[in-house]
Amino acid sequence: MKKLLFVMLAVMVASVAFAGWTFDSRFVNYNVDTLEHTFVGEISGTKRVCSMPHGVVLDENGKVWVGLYGSYGAHDGVHEFDYKGATSYYRPVYVYNSDGTIHKSISVFQMADGSLDTLHSQSPINGANRGMGKDADGNILVSSWSTLYRFDPETFECTGRFIPATLGSLTDAVHDPVTGFYMVGHVASNKPLHILDENLDYFGAAIDTVPSLQRSIEIKSVDDGMDLFVGGIYPGRLYKYHSPDLEFDKFVIEDTLGNYTVTEQDTSGNDIEVNYTFWASCLDWMPDGMLLGGVIRTDQYNSPKAGTWQIFDVEADEFVGEFGTPYFPEEIDWENIPDGATNSPRGATFVDANTVYI
């Protein structure tokens, strides 16, 4: 699967609801070598080692937190260290000021019990970022490979950590302010969706096995309980689950949303109806209650919506808007990526109803 290795964070500004989203500016361009984002040495044949943002969250102080799938950075000016006889590299989460400069790089931090944890390439429990979120108290949720961390945005202290019994890549995490529960799933199919308590300790399974590969989940409180939305890919589905009571009742699948039909031409020029589904590789609530989904682009799946950001109404089960400029060159032109180009979206965070970082 081809994708931009340095996907920039962009600000899209909306003029009217559901439409009118336009590119505003590049917030961080990882294609530009800087002292902050460059490893001094060779890794996999390149010196550019910050790439593939897999999560972005705006905290209550206006700082922008970014987790990268491909990232090697520095801690106290050092990039590498010995870990059990092997060379390991720091893999930080970056916190940016509003002007795009780095405010803080987080890779070594203290746990609540006084012990230290480190995000690094040889870690048995963490490493490449898989997603980010924010709880109702403004804490930042970081899914780093098989570990979920919770950070205080004021002190940058780690206030909680969850490591599943069976290790594996995690989705981004969500939080229910009513029960205080957190939920996080696995990227791989046929794995459980975990419920965690306010301390990020394991409480139970929200779902025993999720049927597809996914990277993102979202929840919504409703009159008769809670709805859960899972962005399934391989196969592409937007699953809707429901639980009457999260504390006592597991989620049961109710529907698959985002199915649509497009008129295309076959090889003989005849019009045919082709069915497509919503391959959402990331899901985020918009301020107006719509669900923003980033549609994955793969060599196997080239739908009319591939590589775009889709605005979706979960109540009406329909697409109501979109933005982004899909960019699928056979050979990536690293130096001339168009403004607002999108390829494989991996997360969004809203400043207000009119501004979003992607």
Side-chain angles (χ1 to χ4, degrees), residues 66-354:
V66 180
L68 298 112
Y69 180 85
S71 173
Y72 295 89
H75 172 68
D76 290 340
V78 178
H79 298 85
E80 63 184 55
F81 63 98
D82 179 82
Y83 179 77
K84 297 184 177 180
T87 299
S88 192
Y89 304 97
Y90 294 107
R91 307 198 72 165
V93 170
Y94 290 101
V95 184
Y96 294 93
N97 298 307
S98 58
D99 62 359
T101 58
I102 294 177
H103 178 78
K104 190 173 183 62
S105 170
I106 302 175
S107 55
V108 180
F109 45 89
Q110 184 172 294
M111 304 300 299
D113 62 4
S115 63
L116 289 180
D117 200 347
T118 302
L119 306 179
H120 65 105
S121 61
Q122 294 290 334
S123 171
I125 62 169
N126 64 51
N129 183 271
R130 293 301 198 273
M132 302 185 73
K134 185 167 63 174
D135 69 16
D137 298 317
N139 297 302
I140 308 302
L141 307 175
V142 176
S143 297
S144 183
W145 188 54
S146 191
T147 306
L148 173 64
Y149 297 95
R150 182 178 60 196
F151 288 94
D152 184 319
E154 296 282 350
T155 65
F156 303 102
E157 295 177 348
C158 183
T159 61
R161 177 180 68 180
F162 169 68
I163 307 170
T166 301
L167 298 179
S169 296
L170 298 180
T171 66
D172 53 12
V174 294
H175 176 242
D176 173 34
V178 177
T179 63
F181 287 136
Y182 296 83
M183 281 177 280
V184 65
H186 289 261
V187 172
S189 62
N190 299 315
K191 301 290 185 182
L193 184 74
H194 306 289
I195 302 177
L196 316 175
D197 66 15
E198 66 274 9
N199 299 313
L200 293 192
D201 292 326
Y202 180 76
F203 179 84
I207 301 174
D208 290 327
T209 57
V210 182
S212 70
L213 186 152
Q214 56 276 311
R215 294 188 177 95
S216 191
I217 60 176
E218 279 295 349
I219 56 174
K220 180 180 181 181
S221 293
V222 292
D223 291 340
D224 59 344
M226 178 178 291
D227 289 338
L228 167 73
F229 301 91
V230 178
I233 54 178
Y234 301 104
R237 297 287 189 273
L238 177 58
Y239 297 104
K240 178 185 177 182
Y241 290 80
H242 180 75
S243 170
D245 189 326
L246 182 59
E247 189 170 359
F248 301 103
D249 299 296
K250 292 183 180 180
F251 282 99
V252 176
I253 192 166
E254 279 194 344
D255 203 356
T256 57
L257 307 178
N259 305 310
Y260 62 102
T261 301
V262 175
T263 300
E264 298 180 355
Q265 289 188 330
D266 62 17
T267 55
S268 301
N270 301 312
D271 288 345
I272 57 173
E273 299 295 309
V274 181
N275 298 319
Y276 289 101
T277 56
F278 193 4
W279 283 58
S281 62
C282 58
L283 299 171
D284 293 281
W285 290 116
M286 301 180 70
D288 61 4
M290 296 295 108
L291 188 63
L292 181 63
V295 182
I296 192 172
R297 192 272 175 174
T298 75
D299 293 333
Q300 296 81 28
Y301 175 73
N302 296 311
S303 84
K305 302 183 189 300
T308 64
W309 293 87
Q310 293 293 321
I311 303 171
F312 190 76
D313 186 336
V314 297
E315 300 299 330
D317 187 12
E318 66 179 5
F319 297 95
V320 295
E322 67 177 50
F323 61 85
T325 303
Y327 187 59
F328 312 140
E330 291 300 318
E331 297 294 335
I332 298 293
D333 182 355
W334 301 109
E335 305 302 326
N336 297 290
I337 299 298
D339 285 343
T342 52
N343 188 286
S344 290
R346 289 290 190 276
T349 186
F350 285 83
V351 179
D352 51 38
N354 297 315

